[in-house]
Amino acid sequence: MADLPDASTCYELLARMALIRRFEEEAGRQYQRAKAGGFLHLAIGEEATIVGTASVMHEEDYLIGTYRTHGHAIARGTEPKHVMAELFGRVDGTSGGRGGSMHIFDREHRFMGGYGIVGGNLPIAAGLALASEYKGEDAVTVCMFGDGASNAGNFGETMNLAALWSLPVLFLVENNLYGMGTSVERHSAQTDLSKKAEGYGIPGQRIDGMDVLAVRESVAEGIRLAREERKPTLLEAFTYRYRGHSAADPEVYREREEVEEWREKDPIESFARRCIEGDVLGEREVQEVRDKAEETVLAAVEFAEASPEPALDTLYEGLYAVTDTEGWYAVDERSPEPHRGEREESMPAAARELAEAGAAYAGRPDGPRPNPAESGDAQEGTEPEVAAEREDDAAEREEVD
Ligand SMILES: Cc1ncc(C[n+]2csc(CCOP(=O)(O)OP(=O)(O)O)c2C)c(N)n1
Ligand SMILES: [Mg+2]
């Protein structure tokens, strides 16, 4: 077991964990009151993994996580009131109120999200590390993701490039034993997740994610290896979420006894006890930590309530869209223009023509194949023609109406 650090470090670790716990309990309550919209994934129980990791990162390092990251942002230094305002969809939220719970983002504190696609943050982490490399920065990227995410295809792609290019990155699996309602034994052939990147040349280590000091020790070494030796590592931290996967989870996949067993290892209670028994903190200081957390969180709710909703005329701000293309934008090997079928909603005539051509072909497999490379509008559709076709379509729609 790692030795207790000095009193002020212990105080700070305990305070950060207690703040995140209280914040998330309140977030859950506000969600029930319909003050926070969208989805809500709480990491109650996982505070030691989160705080232990962030506490040994340098200011210039990057952290990227998943959709369960209110605590990660707070651990990185984001003010709780801005996270709460984001949950409330208000302008003072970390993403201007446009992202909500899954998209907390704070560039100033180098917290790079907040990512809703399972495993989607992995390649981004490699990209951040590559960017630091290009810029000659000393920064290390820490990428945290779930046990379920270790099955995503881009896990392998990311590990390969991270090792091949000697990127300054540390990967940390928050193994809370479940991907939604599916246990690790049922979702991963290799249940020792720390071994999952070995074949790519990335060594791994299993750690106790409920022990903030154990997490600190291993993460600090992983970060050192990344920073000084350009060697990525994969840490597997065993942790547990006491609440359901999201706010709506009947939790039929686990026994109450299992949750109770893990509650015995509560990362905050156990660390507070250790600090008191080790004579590093007193009962009074532990209570002070709780009181301060309460105060900060209640102030965060008040702040979020008072923050206005984004103005309606800013609805389209911050959106990326290819403005001269209808439908979604498609690029293929033929040409970069949009292709037939991709405008079907606004061009029913073109869509019908295409469908008829397909049906004709289906009936005559040996007959002439409609070839979009020759007959597609990328080749033949000049702008005026396309505009004329749209007008026809519009006229047709009016007739139907
Ligand atoms: C690519 C993708 N597939 C499926 C989902 C739906 N989904 C959301 S969370 C989740 C489970 C992920 O589990 P894990 O990686 O262990 O993270 P945890 O929720 O336990 O923190 C799934 C399958 C998604 N968001 N993205
Ligand atoms: Mg999980």
Side-chain angles (χ1 to χ4, degrees):
M1 205 181 247
D3 289 339
L4 280 168
D6 60 81
S8 76
T9 307
C10 285
Y11 186 93
E12 176 49 31
L13 292 172
L14 187 66
R16 218 26 94 114
M17 289 197 290
L19 174 60
I20 293 170
R21 170 72 58 93
R22 186 63 195 88
F23 180 93
E24 292 230 289
E25 285 169 353
E26 192 59 28
R29 216 171 72 83
Q30 296 298 333
Y31 190 79
Q32 300 296 343
R33 296 178 64 209
K35 287 285 180 182
F39 283 92
L40 188 83
H41 304 88
L42 302 175
I44 294 179
E46 304 185 6
E47 296 89 349
T49 303
I50 299 164
V51 170
T53 299
S55 70
V56 288
M57 292 174 67
H58 292 184
E59 217 169 284
E60 76 268 17
D61 294 340
Y62 295 100
L63 179 63
I64 187 163
T66 66
Y67 40 80
R68 201 184 289 291
T69 51
H70 312 140
H72 299 67
I74 294 172
R76 226 22 214 134
T78 307
E79 284 194 61
K81 63 182 185 182
H82 294 301
V83 182
M84 194 63 86
E86 188 57 40
L87 302 188
F88 279 41
R90 307 299 174 92
V91 289
D92 294 302
T94 51
S95 304
R98 285 140 202 278
S101 168
M102 292 204 275
H103 305 284
I104 310 294
F105 187 91
D106 184 349
R107 187 167 57 178
E108 191 195 326
H109 293 97
R110 298 213 164 181
F111 176 64
M112 311 310 281
Y115 210 77
I117 297 173
V118 171
N121 62 335
L122 283 150
I124 297 176
L128 287 167
L130 182 64
S132 299
E133 193 75 6
Y134 264 131
K135 290 168 152 177
E137 281 184 353
D138 204 24
V140 165
T141 295
V142 177
C143 176
M144 296 173 83
F145 54 98
D147 45 284
S150 71
N151 300 315
N154 55 22
F155 172 88
E157 296 170 25
T158 303
M159 296 302 149
N160 180 51
L161 289 182
L164 185 69
W165 294 340
S166 302
L167 297 178
V169 58
L170 170 70
F171 299 102
L172 190 147
V173 190
E174 300 164 295
N175 185 354
N176 58 11
L177 315 189
Y178 298 95
M180 285 181 122
T182 311
S183 66
V184 172
E185 293 71 29
R186 290 177 62 218
H187 74 58
S188 183
Q190 170 56 275
T191 52
D192 183 343
L193 306 185
S194 71
K195 292 207 172 108
K196 270 186 136 169
E198 266 178 11
Y200 296 102
I202 296 186
Q205 189 196 339
R206 298 184 123 176
I207 60 174
D208 181 358
M210 303 304 263
D211 178 351
V212 69
L213 300 182
V215 174
R216 265 165 73 83
E217 198 170 75
S218 298
V219 170
E221 175 57 9
I223 288 179
R224 190 198 65 75
L225 281 167
R227 200 180 323 271
E228 291 173 16
E229 301 182 30
R230 288 342 213 195
K231 283 188 182 143
T233 312
L234 172 62
L235 296 179
E236 178 188 13
F238 283 95
T239 184
Y240 201 78
R241 56 167 166 72
Y242 296 145
R243 299 281 181 97
H245 166 76
S246 67
D249 178 359
E251 297 184 55
V252 290
Y253 51 86
R254 63 183 185 184
E255 303 294 334
R256 191 172 297 171
E257 291 74 35
E258 181 184 286
V259 182
E260 287 311 315
E261 227 171 86
W262 280 87
R263 277 196 188 276
E264 294 294 307
K265 304 180 207 169
D266 188 307
I268 303 176
E269 294 305 319
S270 61
F271 185 60
R273 232 180 0 253
R274 257 196 89 187
C275 289
I276 291 172
E277 284 165 9
D279 265 342
V280 178
L281 297 180
E283 298 272 5
R284 197 183 52 81
E285 282 157 310
V286 171
Q287 189 53 45
E288 184 181 278
V289 155
R290 294 211 175 95
D291 294 344
K292 277 192 185 160
E294 178 75 13
E295 206 177 293
T296 307
V297 170
L298 294 183
V301 172
E302 219 170 284
F303 175 85
E305 296 244 41
S307 175
E309 291 193 344
L312 200 56
D313 62 4
T314 65
L315 191 60
Y316 294 101
E317 282 178 12
L319 291 180
Y320 287 97
V322 183
T323 49
D324 58 354
T325 306
E326 300 222 8
W328 62 86
Y329 188 62
V331 178
D332 69 11
E333 69 279 3
R334 290 169 290 167
S335 64
E337 287 87 30
H339 290 269
R340 238 172 231 228
E342 286 140 17
R343 289 198 294 248
E344 65 187 273
E345 274 189 18
S346 62
M347 299 176 70
R352 190 170 56 238
E353 195 187 313
L354 196 74
E356 280 166 4
Y361 167 66
R364 290 180 294 120
D366 300 325
R369 288 170 85 116
N371 183 350
E374 284 157 21
S375 60
D377 54 24
Q379 266 68 30
E380 70 188 17
T382 61
E383 280 303 313
E385 280 172 12
V386 170
E389 198 177 339
R390 271 182 210 162
E391 270 169 31
D392 288 350
D393 286 341
E396 207 173 277
R397 269 201 301 274
E398 260 166 41
E399 277 167 28
V400 174
D401 290 344

